[in-house]
Amino acid sequence: MKTKPVELLITLLMFLLAGLTAWQAYQLPPPSGYSSVGPRFFPGAIAAGLALCGALLLWQALNGGFPNVSTEASGETAQWSGFYWIIIALVTFMLTAKWGGFPLAGMLLFAFSARAFGSQQLAKDLGIGFGLALAAYLFFAKVLSVQLPAGVLAYLGL
C-alpha cells in the first residue's frame, strides 16, 4: 500500500509541534535551588510525548496508513451538536472566567460539556459543575496559593 502524502504531512506537523514545544521549554529558566524539577520539566515531558506520538504516526503511515475511523465508512452520520457544545463551553469559560470568576466559569464549562455528551439535566449539571469548580478554586487558592480569578466570590471573601 502506498503512503498517503497527507499522512506524512500530519506526521511532520506533529514532529514540528514537538520541536516547537521543546524549544519553548528550553527557553524557560533552569531549576534553581535544591530541586532538579523546574519549569522546564512538564513542557519537556509534553514535547517528548508529542515526539512519541509523531513516531507512532510515522510508523502507521509507513505500515498501511492511518486506520479509517470515518463515520461515512460505517454508515453512521456525524453528530456535530456535541462538537458545537464543546466549543460553546470553551468560549463561555474564556469570556466569563475573569469577571465571573473561576467557579462560575467552571460551572458553565462543566454543564455545557455534559450537554455535549448527551446530558439533559441542566440544573444537576450546574450544581455538580459548581461544586467541582469551587473545590478546585479553593484547593488552588487556599492550599497551593495560586491566584485564580474569584469574580463574584470575591464579595464573599473567598
Side-chain angles (χ1 to χ4, degrees), residues 5-45:
V6 69
E7 293 174 349
L8 293 175
L9 177 64
I10 291 170
T11 300
L12 176 66
L13 291 174
M14 184 62 73
F15 280 123
L16 286 174
L17 184 60
L20 179 64
T21 305
W23 176 68
Q24 287 295 310
Y26 185 74
Q27 301 300 315
L28 294 170
S32 60
Y34 64 90
S35 177
S36 61
V37 175
R40 292 180 180 176
F41 178 76
F42 285 107

Side-chain angles (χ1 to χ4, degrees), residues 124-146:
K124 181 179 177 183
D125 295 335
L126 288 170
I128 293 170
F130 184 74
L132 291 172
L134 182 61
Y137 171 79
L138 291 173
F139 177 75
F140 277 92
K142 304 301 182 189
V143 176
L144 299 178
S145 297
V146 174

Side-chain angles (χ1 to χ4, degrees), residues 50-111:
L50 289 170
L52 177 63
C53 288
L56 292 172
L57 287 172
L58 180 61
W59 182 81
Q60 279 187 331
L62 296 176
N63 291 295
F66 295 170
N68 185 1
V69 293
S70 171
T71 57
E72 296 164 1
S74 63
E76 299 175 11
T77 57
Q79 298 292 323
W80 286 99
S81 64
F83 174 75
Y84 295 137
W85 276 108
I86 293 293
I87 298 300
I88 291 168
L90 293 171
V91 170
T92 302
F93 182 84
M94 290 186 287
L95 293 176
T96 59
K98 187 171 185 175
W99 64 265
F102 183 84
L104 176 68
M107 172 186 73
L108 295 172
L109 177 69
F110 182 88

